[in-house]
Amino acid sequence: MTSTTAPATATPELLEVVNPATGEHVATVACTAGDEVSAIADRAREAQASWGRTPWRERARVLRRFHDLLFERADEVLDTIQSETGKSRRDALSELISVAGTARYFLAHGRRQLATRRARGALPWVTSAREVLHPRGLVGLITPWNFPFLLGIGDALPALAAGNAVLLKPSELTPRSALLARDLLLEAGLDPELLHVLVGTGAELGAPLIDAVDYIGFTGSLATGRLVAQRAAARPIPCSLELGGKNPMLVLPGANVDQAVAGLLLGSFANAGQTCIGIERVYVHAELWDDFVTAAATATASLRQGWSTGWDVDLGSLASNDHAERVRDHLRDAIERGATVVAGGLDVPEGLPETFVAPTLLTDTSDGMLLQREETFGPVVRLERVASEAEAIQRANDSEYGLNASVWAGSRRAGRHVARQLVAGSVGVNSTLLIYGSFDVPMGGTRASGIGARHGAQGMRRFCRSQSIVSSFPQRGGYEGLLGLADSPRGALLLLRAMRTLRRIPGAR
Ligand code: NAD
């Protein structure tokens, strides 16, 4: 076992970024001071005033160019992501692909999503209604370290496309990916004042940021999410919370075991298990149990772990020593309380530093273990045998969280039937992580997994202030004047009759 790496540390002015897989110093980045935030916000607001009036085609031009730059500068993007996270090249690539997909989706659908909607008026023919979407103004985003490029810039794209300026505070462990994303957007033609990356800790920058913006989009832990929501509520401004999960996978009769195991490997060990929608518990029907456990153990043991900027590694390190220790605490606690290790285990993989945790499968887990209910957020999964589909559903739903779930069954139809019974913001049938690439549907959590969602029309609309403009015919006092008809018993009767008839007239409902 080689020596461990130090996590990034902040001084008031400078932040040292460290590669957690190697312990190497990567860069020194200047921090933003808390008392600078309000001046930065003022400048961003000034720039937003004209950006908000810029026609869609000009905003789209920036987004399109940014999309293309992602591919032209792919190596630089992947190197940057890997250097501050220690993750594998493949995991870094998934970030680039998802950011490009987000850009592509909003380029194709953003204009329509932002268009003024004609709606039904209060009375047919003589009144009308329109819903107009305006940019909120200044959007704040606070993001975590697990997907620093994707989460750093993914939500900023629709926010900017909707005509906002953005203040983005990435995790203090991984600021460089967000800074690079900003550089690419500036190269694509974005006014530098429209997107600022605030570098530093949440303790220093969280409050001034929330106090300066018109909307706050938070992605991170439940504990911090609560603080962010409280601060947002005090102003009040709207906020979205994309929080953690304890995501279940159900393997039911009829499922193809090999395919389900392949899904498990990706769902649980992609990004070294540091994926909010990743799988941490698997309920396997007794019929498939022996085959599944054997195949999963063999496949898990064959995963390649280490540090490489090539494509020869499946899992990299975890993001920091502290986090690896937290994951090992869950594992140690489970083993001490009687869990059986069927692959991986507590030992640090040979020749690697302590930021690496072996991909691990556990059976014989039970209530009272830390990993039974808390999010582990590492490559540690528990497998449990269930006697029926109903038991699998009941146990899957027995959680504080409700972010993502995965169902493997005899057919898509059977899988979807089970999916509807799960309390989760998203469910993948024959897949574990598919939701992240499904840009046309909302992705968000229920229960303690969050409030609000990214992606889909909702992912654009949340960055807009909705305004309803209703118009009446002008004659005789307009709509309100109609009430004047009810100034006599006869007038009131006529009005009531007319209103009663409305339900029966097609086009008037
Ligand atoms: P975290 O809550 O510790 O930090 C997230 C961000 O909040 C960081 O930028 C941090 O600096 C900032 N922050 C810390 N204290 C703050 C404060 N008082 N006020 C404002 N901001 C503050 O989370 P993390 O450890 O970086 O990320 C891991 C968590 O994120 C996991 O729980 C994971 O499930 C969750 N996550 C959720 C999603 C999702 O889409 N639902 C996606 C990725 C990660």
Side-chain angles (χ1 to χ4, degrees), residues 138-409:
L138 188 55
V139 166
L141 298 171
I142 300 178
T143 59
W145 41 257
N146 61 329
F147 288 99
F149 190 73
L150 166 59
L151 296 171
I153 208 64
D155 291 340
L157 298 180
L160 290 166
N164 298 285
V166 174
L167 303 189
L168 163 61
K169 197 212 85 61
S171 166
E172 54 274 32
L173 291 180
T174 54
R176 294 178 72 244
S177 299
L179 288 165
L180 174 60
R182 176 176 188 264
D183 286 348
L184 295 180
L185 272 161
L186 301 198
E187 202 174 320
L190 189 75
D191 177 343
E193 295 295 355
L194 287 171
L195 174 61
H196 291 270
V197 176
L198 312 182
V199 175
T201 64
E204 169 86 10
L205 297 173
L209 169 59
I210 298 166
D211 291 350
V213 296
D214 302 308
Y215 177 95
I216 185 80
F218 173 79
T219 306
S221 64
L222 173 59
T224 312
R226 285 194 171 112
L227 297 176
V228 168
Q230 279 166 11
R231 188 95 193 181
R235 293 205 37 211
I237 53 166
C239 75
S240 65
L241 304 176
E242 314 282 342
L243 308 176
K246 188 79 193 173
N247 309 305
M249 172 173 174
L250 287 69
V251 185
L252 300 172
N256 177 313
V257 167
D258 291 338
Q259 298 302 320
V261 166
L264 169 76
L265 255 51
L266 197 66
S268 298
F269 302 134
N271 216 35
Q274 304 163 109
T275 306
C276 56
I277 54 174
I279 300 300
E280 296 206 356
R281 49 197 178 112
V282 187
Y283 300 104
V284 185
H285 194 277
E287 264 179 30
L288 304 174
W289 174 257
D290 289 342
D291 289 348
F292 186 88
V293 174
T294 307
T298 309
T300 301
S302 73
L303 291 171
R304 299 160 303 172
Q305 197 170 19
W307 165 249
S308 167
T309 50
W311 303 93
D312 50 343
V313 151
D314 300 308
L315 282 86
S317 72
L318 271 62
S320 67
N321 258 338
D322 285 352
H323 186 56
E325 211 30 65
R326 188 175 165 271
V327 171
R328 264 194 287 274
D329 281 348
H330 275 206
L331 189 48
R332 192 175 298 113
D333 168 78
I335 294 170
E336 282 169 9
R337 290 172 192 264
T340 303
V341 176
V342 293
L346 253 182
D347 290 343
V348 176
E350 210 181 322
L352 296 174
E354 286 175 3
T355 43
F356 284 81
V357 175
T360 298
L361 300 178
L362 299 173
T363 57
D364 302 314
T365 52
S366 56
D367 275 348
M369 295 178 179
L370 288 174
L371 55 65
Q372 204 69 10
R373 300 207 158 259
E374 287 179 22
E375 181 185 44
T376 303
F377 216 53
V380 176
V381 193
R382 56 177 231 252
L383 311 179
E384 292 187 19
R385 184 205 307 248
V386 291
S388 65
E389 180 180 297
E391 186 188 353
I393 294 169
Q394 181 266 320
R395 285 165 74 170
N397 285 339
D398 181 17
S399 171
E400 175 191 15
Y401 291 106
L403 188 56
N404 187 35
S406 169
V407 180
W408 299 74

Side-chain angles (χ1 to χ4, degrees), residues 6-19:
T9 51
T11 68
E13 301 90 18
L14 297 173
L15 194 111
E16 302 298 329
V17 181
V18 171
N19 181 336

